[in-house]
Amino acid sequence: MNNDLLWSKVLNKIQTEVNSIVFKTWFKETKLYTIENNIATIIVPMEIHRKRLLDTYKDLITGALLEITNVIYDINILLEDEIIINKEVDISIPKKEETITFKHASNLIKSYNFENFVVGNSNKLAHASALAVAEAPGQTYNPLFLYGSSGLGKTHLMHAIGNYIEENSNKKVLYVSSQQFIDDFSKISRRDDNNKTNYDYADYFKNKYRSLDVLIIDDIQFLATKPKTQEEFFHTFNILYNDNKQIIISSDRSPNDLKLLEERLKTRFCWGLTVDIYPPEFELRKNILKKKIQGANIHQKIPDDVIEYIASNMTSDVRNLEGAINRLMAYSLMMGYNEINLPMAVDALKDTINKGTSEKTNILKVQKAVADYFQISVDDLKSKKRSASIAFPRQIAMYLSRTILNESFERIGLEFGGKDHSTVMHSCDKIKGEINNNMEIKNSVEKIKESIL
Ligand code: ADP
Ligand code: MG
C-alpha cells in the first residue's frame, strides 16, 4: 500500500471519530511523508497544527494506524518547509554569499505576545480582531487599523500579531514605527543629490517594504506632516494590499481625525477594520496589575487592598500601572520593608497619584455628587435622556470628571453609558464657557466640587 492510500484510509477512520470542524481544521491538509522504522512522519501546514495534533490527537492517529497496519508507530510531525530545509542542509555546504545576503529582521519584541496581554471590556474587540488577523493574515481584516490614546496596548498587540504569525508560518513580517519608515524613505531623497548609489538604495527600500507578507506600522499620525513619505506609503500600501498582504496600522486617533493625512490614505485605512481601544476599566486595571506582578517575579505578596488602591487611583493608562508597581518595589527595597501593605503603598505612590483627589475619588463619586445636587439619579446621568434637566447635569459631571480627575475623554464617555469621546469633549468645552459667562453656574459647579473633594 503506498503512503497516500494508507493515509487516506487513516483519515477516513479519523473522520468517523471527530466532528467535521475539527477534521477540516486539523487533519484535512495533512500528508503522510514517510513510514518506516516504526515512525510515521506526517506533514502539516503550520506550527499550530503540529502542536494541536501532538497535544490532542496523537493517540487517535496511532490508533487508526494500528488498526490498518497492525503496527504501533511513533508519530513525528514536520512542516512542509522543514523537509525542504532538511534536504538542502544535507547536500550543500553553505556558501559564503549566503551569509551576506539581505537578512530579514522583523524588529519584533518577543515579550509582547497574546499570552501576556490581559483582556477586559475596553480592549476586548481590539484583542479579538488582532487574534483574527494573526490567525489568517491577509484574509480577514485588511488593513487592521487600531487606535486609542497612548499607553493602552496598541504597540503590544501589534507585536503580538507579528510574533504569532512568525511562530505559525513562514511569512515575512516587519514591524516599523512611522519614524523608521520616514527615515528609510528620507535616505532615498538624501542620496538623490550626489551619487548614483541612490538607485541601489531605492531598490533596497522597495525590496524591504514591498516583499513583505505582513507590514506593521506604528503611530501613523507622525506621517501627517510628511506629504512625500505619505506618497511612498500610499504606493507601498497599494502593492501589498493588492497582493493580499496584511497591513496593520496604529494611531493615536481615528482615520477621520488624522487631519493632515491625504484623503486617499484615510479612505484606504477604512477599507478593512477600524477598532478603538479604550482606557482600561477598574476590573481590567486590577487584572493587569496582577499579571504584571506575576510576570515580574515579585516574591513579596502584594495584598488585594494595595492592588485596589493602585487600580482605583491610576486610571489613565497601562504604562502608569507598570510604573506604580516598579515604584512600589523600589520603595520597599530602599526602605528595607519586607512586607508590602496599604500605608506603605500610599506613601510610596503619593507623588504619582493625583494630588488633591482623595483615595476614593473616582467618576462614580463625581456622578453621585452631581446627581445629588440636581436631585436626579446616577442612572439618569448615564442614560440617553436629552431633556435639559438631565443633559445639563450630565455635562457638568463630565466636565468635573475631566477637570478634577484628569480622566481621558474616552474613559469618561465609557462611564457615562458609552457616549462618544467627541460628545464628552463638547460637554467639557461648553461648561467651561458657561462658567466664564454665568456666575450662577460657576457657583453651582464650585459647590459640587467642594462636596467631592
Ligand atoms: P500604546 O502603544 O497604546 O501606547 P503600549 O502597547 O506601548 O501602548 O503599552 C504600554 C505598556 O502597557 C506596555 O508595556 C504593554 O505591555 C502594557 N500593556 C498595555 N495593555 C496591556 C494589557 N492589556 N495587558 C498587559 N499589558 C499591557
Ligand atoms: Mg505605541
Side-chain angles (χ1 to χ4, degrees):
M1 199 174 350
N2 73 25
N3 287 357
D4 288 351
L5 182 61
L6 169 58
W7 195 240
S8 72
K9 289 192 170 179
V10 171
L11 289 183
N12 283 340
K13 176 98 196 65
I14 289 173
Q15 197 162 14
T16 62
E17 314 226 347
V18 296
N19 78 41
S20 64
I21 296 175
V22 166
F23 184 79
K24 212 165 125 191
T25 315
W26 306 119
F27 291 97
K28 202 151 185 259
E29 292 174 79
T30 58
K31 278 187 223 134
L32 181 61
Y33 180 53
T34 54
I35 182 157
E36 54 201 9
N37 305 329
N38 289 11
I39 299 175
T41 300
I42 299 158
I43 308 177
V44 299
M46 288 194 292
E47 190 57 57
I48 194 168
H49 293 81
R50 165 154 58 198
K51 184 165 163 26
R52 192 91 189 121
L53 292 188
L54 289 177
D55 287 353
T56 316
Y57 297 112
K58 202 171 165 186
D59 291 347
L60 184 65
I61 301 170
T62 316
L65 273 167
L66 173 66
E67 225 175 284
I68 294 159
T69 62
N70 279 326
V71 179
I72 296 180
Y73 285 99
D74 258 346
I75 308 295
N76 178 32
I77 300 189
L78 290 181
L79 305 184
E80 202 118 44
D81 31 89
E82 285 174 338
I83 289 164
I84 298 162
I85 291 167
N86 283 345
K87 280 186 184 159
E88 271 186 1
V89 170
D90 285 348
I91 55 167
S92 66
I93 302 156
K95 292 190 209 104
K96 254 236 161 101
E97 306 96 85
E98 278 178 4
T99 55
I100 54 163
T101 48
F102 172 67
K103 184 169 177 314
H104 173 68
S106 63
N107 296 338
L108 290 171
I109 301 170
K110 291 281 171 219
S111 58
Y112 284 166
N113 50 45
F114 283 119
E115 285 76 26
N116 60 16
F117 188 84
V118 188
V119 186
N121 283 337
S122 52
N123 61 18
K124 206 186 223 156
L125 182 61
H127 170 264
S129 334
L131 187 62
V133 165
E135 284 181 314
Q139 294 169 37
T140 40
Y141 309 116
N142 204 14
L144 175 66
F145 190 100
L146 287 174
Y147 72 93
S149 320
S150 162
L152 301 185
K154 301 183 294 297
T155 299
H156 186 136
L157 270 181
M158 293 175 113
H159 282 279
I161 300 175
N163 284 320
Y164 188 99
I165 296 174
E166 277 205 332
E167 280 156 27
N168 293 298
S169 73
N170 290 311
K171 292 195 187 302
K172 202 161 148 190
V173 181
L174 179 70
Y175 167 92
V176 281
S177 62
S178 299
Q179 199 51 51
Q180 169 83 51
F181 188 85
I182 294 167
D183 289 351
D184 273 0
F185 177 68
S186 69
K187 283 186 202 148
I188 298 184
S189 4
R190 219 178 300 141
R191 293 194 186 194
D192 213 1
D193 310 330
N194 42 30
N195 72 46
K196 49 186 183 296
T197 59
N198 175 51
Y199 287 109
D200 298 342
Y201 191 78
D203 278 350
Y204 163 78
F205 182 89
K206 288 192 178 124
N207 187 27
K208 174 170 173 179
Y209 286 98
R210 297 181 183 181
S211 66
L212 296 169
D213 297 306
V214 181
L215 173 61
I216 305 175
I217 182 157
D218 207 350
D219 290 319
I220 198 92
Q221 71 271 14
F222 294 124
L223 284 197
T225 53
K226 308 272 179 197
K228 277 200 177 141
T229 319
Q230 280 185 42
E231 169 96 27
E232 180 56 36
F233 183 69
F234 178 73
H235 294 307
T236 307
F237 183 103
N238 287 342
I239 287 167
L240 293 176
Y241 183 87
N242 289 334
D243 225 5
N244 290 327
K245 307 299 187 176
Q246 180 70 46
I247 302 157
I248 302 155
I249 305 162
S250 83
S251 161
D252 66 348
R253 62 204 87 174
S254 76
N256 286 332
D257 289 335
L258 284 162
K259 293 278 178 288
L260 289 170
L261 213 68
E262 277 188 54
E263 218 38 61
R264 56 184 188 169
L265 269 176
K266 287 193 221 176
T267 315
R268 275 165 177 72
F269 291 168
C270 296
W271 278 354
L273 178 67
T274 304
V275 199
D276 42 358
I277 179 162
Y278 294 100
E281 70 280 7
F282 180 66
E283 252 340 274
L284 178 57
R285 296 200 293 270
K286 269 195 339 197
N287 291 337
I288 291 176
L289 284 166
K290 288 183 184 158
K291 184 93 180 178
K292 299 281 167 195
I293 292 165
Q294 264 173 27
N297 260 332
I298 296 168
H299 300 299
Q300 279 153 304
K301 180 160 166 35
I302 302 197
D304 281 352
D305 58 351
V306 171
I307 292 180
E308 297 205 345
Y309 172 72
I310 301 174
S312 44
N313 285 286
M314 304 242 152
T315 49
S316 53
D317 77 44
V318 180
R319 225 172 259 132
N320 284 345
L321 296 176
E322 291 177 334
I325 294 283
N326 292 339
R327 216 182 147 92
L328 194 58
M329 297 324 296
Y331 186 86
S332 86
L333 204 67
M334 200 170 70
M335 308 297 266
Y337 287 112
N338 33 24
E339 184 198 32
I340 291 177
N341 55 31
L342 188 57
M344 178 207 145
V346 172
D347 201 32
L349 301 173
K350 64 179 182 298
D351 294 336
T352 4
I353 284 174
N354 286 347
K355 289 226 179 81
T357 61
S358 77
E359 277 169 47
K360 297 227 159 49
T361 304
N362 54 30
I363 293 183
L364 182 61
K365 194 166 175 196
V366 171
Q367 289 171 331
K368 278 186 183 145
V370 174
D372 279 355
Y373 185 88
F374 289 99
Q375 302 198 335
I376 56 174
S377 72
V378 170
D379 283 345
D380 284 334
L381 289 177
K382 294 182 171 188
S383 72
K384 292 201 164 63
K385 292 179 194 163
R386 288 172 182 228
S387 67
S389 61
I390 307 247
F392 183 60
R394 183 185 296 131
Q395 288 171 336
I396 291 187
M398 287 177 169
Y399 167 83
L400 287 172
S401 302
R402 176 74 183 165
T403 49
I404 301 179
L405 304 175
N406 211 6
E407 289 282 9
S408 69
F409 295 123
E410 288 90 349
R411 183 163 175 74
I412 297 172
L414 215 60
E415 301 277 353
F416 279 80
K419 309 279 185 298
D420 194 72
H421 75 278
S422 57
T423 310
V424 182
M425 223 183 267
H426 171 76
S427 303
C428 294
D429 288 347
K430 183 167 170 240
I431 298 298
K432 201 166 149 192
E434 299 270 7
I435 288 174
N436 288 334
N437 295 321
N438 185 327
M439 268 319 271
E440 204 181 327
I441 293 177
K442 185 168 182 225
N443 289 338
S444 301
V445 172
E446 282 306 319
K447 274 204 191 113
I448 300 170
K449 222 166 156 175
E450 279 166 23
S451 75
I452 298 170
L453 294 176

